[in-house]
Amino acid sequence: MPGTVLLLAASPVGKGCLVDAASVLPVLAAVAPSVLSGTETANVVELADPLEPQAVLTRLRAAATSPGPLTMFVTGQLQLDRRQRLPHLALARTTPATVRYTAFPWHWVTEELRLRPPGLTSVFVDLHTDADTWTHLAGRPLAVGPATALYGRVAPPPPRRTVAQPTYMRAVATILRSGHRPPLLQLHQQALTRTSGEDAAARPGAADLLFAPGQGGPGAPASAAAPAAVVAETGAPPFPPGPGQSWAGQPWPPAPAFTTVTSPPPLPQAPPPAPFASPAPQAPPPAPSAPLTPHGPPLGAPSRGGPSTSPGSQPAVPPRPMAVAIPGQATPRESSPSSDPHGEITAAVRAGRHGEAVGLAGRREEEALHAYGPGSEQVLHWMEVRADLAMFAGDPERSCRIWLAVAVARLDAGQAADAPEVESAVDRAHHQWGRVGDPARARELGAELARLRLRVPGRREGALDHVQEQLRQLQTQA
């Protein structure tokens, strides 16, 4: 099976640049694709100093949905946005004041990769930080998803008026240029050995944050996660409107979730939210197996829409299915106490048994409702799973309703309107609304979405205006 390689190097232009990230790309590009990926053949995508977060998201989503092994090499600098203090990969136009809008949120990487099959994804990073971000990361290491192996380092701030060099990534590329690809942990260790002297001279007394699966450091989460997955929809090229679905105007580009949904204490981690597209109805999303006929409203789903907002960027692709691992959970009757219900759900979806998948998720939601009560993270998690399943089965109306319900439940529980989980839910509802083909249903859901957008405008300007404009078009056609 062919592999996929994503080479990403980015850093701001001007005095805000901390590392000469793009200088490593010629060395990486000189490595044979088969060596970069560890497969006989591979597709290599190179992004050098991209300007727009959505351009990065588009390429990342395309890579994340490839069926074969995926290897990413990411070089650049991390900065925190001032509002939510979340790490972002700085792009060419990024300044300290515009991080939230011009940089690429690191949690988007986590969202796009977290549902990939275990053992098929590796990420090498050589990242530099400013003082504020360095302090932040010391207590909150980077993550790339439960089924992804993370290797590399995050370096502390370089000396004043100095632009650092991506020595770790250059060492990785140099080793691979020999034509031999050692085991990835060995490759990581060899690269660290090669750069230790050079980095010590450039930054005396400063130690990097190192990542490697199974070594107990910041990379440990990647190896500690249990392998399992649940299907969710993520980026794909925009679908053209289908017959009878021309009611919407210009589509609202889909956007990724802002951050991983907080996992409930004793229960699994919530699956990533699906990006949203404009309210322009489109053909049903592709399914990995036979298409599913729509089912009735999922168990516990409200009669009306569910949340979804778009992040502060403008993706160019609609969402696709992803998978999430949830360790330590047993499904009643259908599985042994040690099995992961998400694995069963994934298998059911792949086999085209969408009704069975919805039933499994619905039973889990009922159990969580009895054990933890309405509005708990456990219940919200399974609502999100059902929303993803509906989207994957080609039922955007039901998916939209559930996402709207999730957003309202989170707001009612006291979560802030700009909380990542709330914004992500509204983004997904917005995207799914754009795929509803029935104008009457679209009007109904659109009215609810507009009311919710008043409370949760999202990171991207114009979301509410977009909903209102599409509603005007729908009313005219009515």
Side-chain angles (χ1 to χ4, degrees), residues 286-386:
S289 58
L292 170 72
T293 52
H295 304 289
L299 182 59
S303 62
R304 301 201 171 182
S308 159
T309 30
S310 85
S313 353
Q314 313 171 15
V317 273
R320 315 178 185 99
M322 314 173 121
V324 174
I326 296 195
Q329 275 198 313
T331 33
R333 296 186 298 274
E334 276 80 2
S335 59
S336 67
S338 62
S339 67
D340 182 347
H342 293 71
E344 293 187 55
I345 292 172
T346 300
V349 171
R350 286 176 176 168
R353 303 191 305 273
H354 298 280
E356 178 182 333
V358 171
L360 287 170
R363 282 193 290 276
R364 282 289 174 174
E365 184 181 330
E366 275 192 325
E367 293 175 3
L369 182 62
H370 292 313
Y372 301 96
S376 64
E377 283 296 332
Q378 292 81 358
V379 171
L380 292 173
H381 166 72
W382 289 108
M383 289 177 68
E384 291 169 342
V385 170
R386 289 193 297 101

Side-chain angles (χ1 to χ4, degrees), residues 166-223:
T167 53
Y168 170 81
M169 193 65 75
R170 185 175 289 119
V172 169
T174 302
I175 294 169
L176 293 176
R177 283 189 68 179
S178 67
H180 171 63
R181 189 181 198 253
L184 298 188
L185 182 57
Q186 184 180 334
L187 172 61
H188 166 72
Q189 292 168 339
Q190 290 177 3
L192 290 177
T193 301
R194 289 194 179 205
T195 60
S196 57
E198 185 178 348
D199 288 340
R203 294 180 281 101
D208 296 340
L209 295 176
L210 301 179
F211 300 85
Q215 295 194 339
S223 63

